[in-house]
Amino acid sequence: MSRLVDKFGREHTYLRISVTDRCNLRCLYCMPSESIVWKKRDEILQFEEIVRIASILVEMGISKIRITGGEPMVRRDLESLVARLASLPGVKTLAMTTNAVLLADKAAVFKSSGLTALNISLDSLQKARFQEITQRDDFDKVMAGIEAALAAGFESVKLNCVVMAGYNDDEILDFVEFVKDRGVNIRFIEYMPFPDNQWHKGRMLSSAEMIKTVEKRFRLVPLPGETGAVARDFALAGHSGTVSFISSMSDSFCGTCNRLRLTADGALKSCLFYAPEMSLRDAIRGGISDDELGKLILEAVMQKPEAHPPMEELVGMANRSMVEIGG
Ligand code: SAM
Ligand code: SF4
């Protein structure tokens, strides 16, 4: 089958699969404040369907898969999907992004099912503030989840922190202190606008500003990045922990983007900020062959825009909310 090369020459090797649009937290920057309409069970892809789509995409050159959501761990029997995706020949990295609320009891099971890497979202190290941001009282469970992930021996455990001016930007140095001797990577992410997610420019702190804050206390040493990586990575001189900055808004990385997204209801999204989608679910349920499905996927890849519009234009743009796309 053809490689996943778009009309700007970008080859796609990284697939993010959302397995549910439901979540057990209500993060202010992700979940719209007006209640969203959850997809019905029969609208969501079954594991069989996910594996079929993923295996075609792997044949077309995908080598890294990330499972996301909503909160992926609220989907029943997720470990069996992990095992099936891990066994696809050609998958070198199988990662998951999770809020870790349900991770403490499951980290070892996921590791033995074939998950290689975990990104855990944590936006505050303060219990009361965690509750304000997530609108749930689950801080202790998340911290236990992080400890379980570290004990389980994954190839990589990273923390994701969305930095919002006036909410948690005063904790940047606390986060660096938290990871510095644990061998963990902290990724500071710029706040992105999605429908009804309370974004405004004054609440977005740029990576450049975050770096200045970290450099007040630590010496940052640049590390070489992975191809297509969205983060700028730094070692912390004298420590095992590392720090990364994801500048999706102030300095976008569209030119080297290698990602495709499959939503929980089976839409292939070629770009986080490009609303048109291709429903692979409808094609599959209409009886399409694997060859034809490969051609349909390539058609969606060919429609991928060269770059997303600047942040001011993203506000108010028609799009799914982040909880429905999966990051
Ligand atoms: N529920 C899981 C979690 O929170 O890790 C996975 C899904 S969540 C949508 C995936 C990632 O998107 C998380 O790291 C989250 O912090 C990030 N995210 C959500 N909304 C965002 C926004 N408006 N700007 C930047 N990152 C965002
Ligand atoms: Fe749920 Fe993750 Fe969105 Fe928070 S960031 S509401 S945990 S999907």
Side-chain angles (χ1 to χ4, degrees), residues 183-204:
V184 172
N185 173 247
I186 174 85
R187 292 148 49 95
F188 293 115
I189 303 174
E190 288 179 354
Y191 184 12
M192 298 186 278
F194 285 90
D196 196 18
N197 81 337
Q198 314 199 20
W199 189 93
H200 63 79
K201 209 171 170 187
R203 218 171 255 170
M204 201 213 77

Side-chain angles (χ1 to χ4, degrees), residues 141-196:
K141 288 185 193 157
V142 172
M143 297 311 277
I146 293 172
E147 292 311 326
L150 293 175
F154 287 97
E155 279 169 24
S156 135
V157 176
K158 298 178 179 180
L159 298 183
N160 282 359
C161 174
V162 178
V163 180
M164 291 171 290
Y167 274 93
N168 60 353
D169 52 332
D170 57 341
E171 288 190 59
I172 290 177
L173 285 169
D174 296 346
F175 270 107
V176 180
E177 287 288 344
F178 182 76
V179 300
K180 73 177 200 282
D181 296 317
R182 292 168 181 253
V184 172
N185 173 247
I186 174 85
R187 292 148 49 95
F188 293 115
I189 303 174
E190 288 179 354
Y191 184 12
M192 298 186 278
F194 285 90
D196 196 18

Side-chain angles (χ1 to χ4, degrees), residues 29-30 68-71 97-99 121 160 162 190 192 197 322 326:
Y29 55 79
C30 176
T68 179
E71 171 46 40
T97 303
T98 174
N99 62 30
S121 301
N160 282 359
V162 178
E190 288 179 354
M192 298 186 278
N197 81 337
M322 190 59 142

Side-chain angles (χ1 to χ4, degrees), residues 22-27 29-31 69-71 99 121 322-323:
R22 312 282 167 117
C23 190
N24 44 5
L25 298 183
R26 294 285 179 274
C27 304
Y29 55 79
C30 176
M31 186 80 79
E71 171 46 40
N99 62 30
S121 301
M322 190 59 142
V323 70

